[in-house]
């Protein structure tokens, strides 16, 4: 009985997280010019400053930047392009991960 | 009225006799930026709104002359391609048995990256640098901690940076002003060719190391005292300079040493034994 109660509690805790992840949008930015981690820090700084951005992941080797938004927030391509430019790089492509 | 004017040039001439007015021109002209060479100039700037805090320590040894300097540099990113900042140096000089320490000459600088070509994993760019060294150091100390002049530096640089290889080329011209005593250090031309190699592919969250090898050339015109050339000043020096650039995310450590490989200094001057530089840098 105790085990069932514990499982129910864990499920109750996990459900909102699962729901939030399902509702949050993720975008993939192909960024040209990314050649070193120290320089790429500017990308993280600029994109993280956008309202609604929950997480920024940078993959230097493949020139990819993955931006995860908070629930309900969206990222426009133009805003992403501007922020990448402010960081000193060039946005080649922008796509939303389904 | 003329007596102090006559006395001071003699003092100044003696002050500069050993190194021919070369030393100070070098030590306070080495603004280092982000992923740029240690001694040369690269086209890196800073992201818009970013702040770079840079701590720098240098040693310049030439015969009986030793010069140590530490500096704090603060840089601000005006746009993604344009940055400006200020350099606040603290210097310690030794000339034989005499030594002095205190505030060096403050500099202000700006760099504009006017061309950039980005492709996957590669950034090529060209930038121009303008730097002004003010007359704010203690030039009455013996040896002098400041030059007593306002100098300007104009630089042009090209850089190619990829995930594996780096290369830079730069040219700088330094125009030195004259001081109250009629001494004008000779203008300088600095030329740099730099290669860099990253042994392991970078990962954003892991420490990253780049090895550098620089070829630095310096040509200095003769200094003038009241319009007359000083014989033991000016000339050419070439250096081979290995260095390392280690970073972890927004923190960097840079270190390098300039080893003289050739020199043609005018008259009787002490040749450079070595120059070393260590820098810590944060991007905020």
């Amino acid at each position: 009985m105790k085990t069932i109660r514990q499982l129910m509690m864990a499920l109750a805790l996990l459900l909102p997280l699962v729901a939030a992840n399902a509702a949050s949008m993720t975008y993939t930015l192909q960024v040209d010019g990314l050649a070193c981690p120290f320089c790429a820090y500017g990308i993280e700084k600029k994109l993280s400053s956008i309202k609604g951005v929950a997480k920024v992941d940078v993959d230097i080797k493949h020139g990819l930047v993955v931006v995860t938004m908070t629930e309900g927030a969206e990222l426009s391509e133009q805003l992403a392009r501007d922020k990448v430019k402010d960081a000193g790089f060039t946005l080649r492509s922008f796509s939303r991960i389904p | 009225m003329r007596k102090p004017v006559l006395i001071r040039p003699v003092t100044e001439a003696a002050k500069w006799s050993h190194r021919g007015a070369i030393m100070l021109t070098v030590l306070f002209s080495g603004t280092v930026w982000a992923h740029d060479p240690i001694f040369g100039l690269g086209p890196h700037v800073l992201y818009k709104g970013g702040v770079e805090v840079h701590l720098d320590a240098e040693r310049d040894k030439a015969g009986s002359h030793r010069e140590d300097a530490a500096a704090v540099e603060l840089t601000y990113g005006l746009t993604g391609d344009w940055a400006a900042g200020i350099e606040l140096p603290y210097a310690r000089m030794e000339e034989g048995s005499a030594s002095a320490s205190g505030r060096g000459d403050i500099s202000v600088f700006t760099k504009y990256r006017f061309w950039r070509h980005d492709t996957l994993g590669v950034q090529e760019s060209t930038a121009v640098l303008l730097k002004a060294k003010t007359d704010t150091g203690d030039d009455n100390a013996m040896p002098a901690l400041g030059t007593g002049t306002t100098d300007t530096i104009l630089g042009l640089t090209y850089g190619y940076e990829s995930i594996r290889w780096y290369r830079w080329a730069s040219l700088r011209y330094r125009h030195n002003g004259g001081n109250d005593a009629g001494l004008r250090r000779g203008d300088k031309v600095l030329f740099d060719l730099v290669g860099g190699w990253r042994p392991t592919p970078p990962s954003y969250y892991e420490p990253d190391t780049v090895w550098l090898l620089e070829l630095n050339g310096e040509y200095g015109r003769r200094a003038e005292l009241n319009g007359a050339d000083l014989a033991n000043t000016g000339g050419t020096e070439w250096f081979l300079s290995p260095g390392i650039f280690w970073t972890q995310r927004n923190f960097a450590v840079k270190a390098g040493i300039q080893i003289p490989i050739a020199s043609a200094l005018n008259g009787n001057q002490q040749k450079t034994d070595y120059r070393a530089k260590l820098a810590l840098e944060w991007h905020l």
Side-chain angles (χ1 to χ4, degrees), chain B:
Chain B
M1 285 296 285
R2 295 186 64 184
K3 196 173 179 183
V5 179
L6 287 170
I7 289 171
R8 188 128 189 247
V10 174
T11 309
E12 292 291 346
K15 199 184 283 184
W16 293 101
S17 61
H18 289 294
R19 287 292 294 142
I22 285 199
M23 299 292 283
L24 276 168
T25 61
V26 171
L27 208 53
F28 298 124
S29 65
T31 303
V32 181
W33 299 68
H35 225 182
D36 278 350
I38 313 292
F39 299 99
L41 177 69
H44 258 281
V45 280
L46 192 61
Y47 52 90
K48 184 179 179 181
V51 174
E52 182 177 288
V53 179
H54 179 103
L55 306 176
D56 202 283
E58 283 184 68
R59 170 166 289 181
D60 190 334
K61 174 85 168 58
S64 63
H65 186 114
R66 197 178 87 181
E67 188 172 343
D68 293 319
V72 177
E73 287 174 24
L74 300 170
T75 308
Y76 181 75
L78 298 165
T79 72
D81 293 305
W82 185 21
I86 186 167
E87 180 185 325
L88 310 163
Y90 183 89
R92 176 178 164 76
M93 311 279 281
E94 282 182 23
E95 184 76 64
S97 58
S99 68
S101 60
R103 189 185 66 229
D105 290 328
I106 294 171
S107 297
V108 290
F109 52 83
T110 185
K111 195 199 279 186
Y112 181 66
R113 186 164 57 179
F114 59 89
W115 178 80
R116 197 181 81 225
H117 179 62
D118 294 336
T119 52
L120 179 59
V122 177
Q123 185 166 71
E124 276 184 281
S125 55
T126 309
V128 62
L129 167 83
L130 182 63
K131 183 173 182 177
K133 187 201 69 60
T134 63
D135 175 17
T136 45
D138 184 1
D139 51 312
N140 290 316
M142 198 69 173
L145 298 171
T147 61
T149 62
T150 299
D151 307 333
T152 49
I153 300 164
L154 183 65
L156 184 67
T157 171
Y158 162 83
Y160 170 95
E161 302 178 26
S162 72
I163 284 172
R164 181 68 81 176
W165 298 100
Y166 287 70
R167 54 180 181 263
W168 295 272
S170 68
L171 191 65
R172 282 170 285 176
Y173 183 82
R174 178 172 183 137
H175 173 72
N176 293 319
N179 69 8
D180 297 340
L183 177 73
R184 195 173 94 79
R185 292 163 300 124
D187 288 357
K188 295 199 76 170
V189 176
L190 296 97
F191 170 72
D192 308 286
L193 281 177
V194 186
W197 173 61
R198 176 183 280 115
T200 53
S203 170
Y204 183 55
Y205 301 98
E206 299 295 323
D208 179 50
T209 304
V210 176
W211 295 96
L212 303 170
L213 187 62
E214 307 186 22
L215 176 69
N216 313 117
E218 299 176 7
Y219 165 74
R221 294 185 64 182
R222 279 195 167 91
E224 294 175 3
L225 187 62
N226 295 323
D229 282 354
L230 294 177
N232 299 330
T233 61
T236 306
E237 287 186 293
W238 288 92
F239 301 89
L240 201 59
S241 316
I244 187 171
F245 190 103
W246 183 91
T247 64
Q248 172 132 40
R249 207 158 173 227
N250 64 330
F251 173 65
V253 180
K254 304 176 196 181
I257 184 161
Q258 279 192 312
I259 301 162
I261 53 172
S263 69
L265 298 173
N266 300 323
N268 181 23
Q269 299 184 65
Q270 292 179 354
K271 292 178 183 174
T272 300
D273 295 324
Y274 68 88
R275 295 178 191 150
K277 184 183 280 191
L278 174 68
L280 307 178
E281 198 170 288
W282 290 266
H283 282 180
L284 306 171

Side-chain angles (χ1 to χ4, degrees), chain A residues 60-82:
Chain A
I60 304 267
K61 275 181 269 186
H62 300 99
L64 291 175
V65 179
V66 178
V67 182
T68 306
M69 308 299 288
T70 55
E71 186 180 354
E74 290 186 27
L75 177 64
S76 73
E77 182 171 349
Q78 188 56 52
L79 183 57
R81 188 173 299 281
D82 290 345

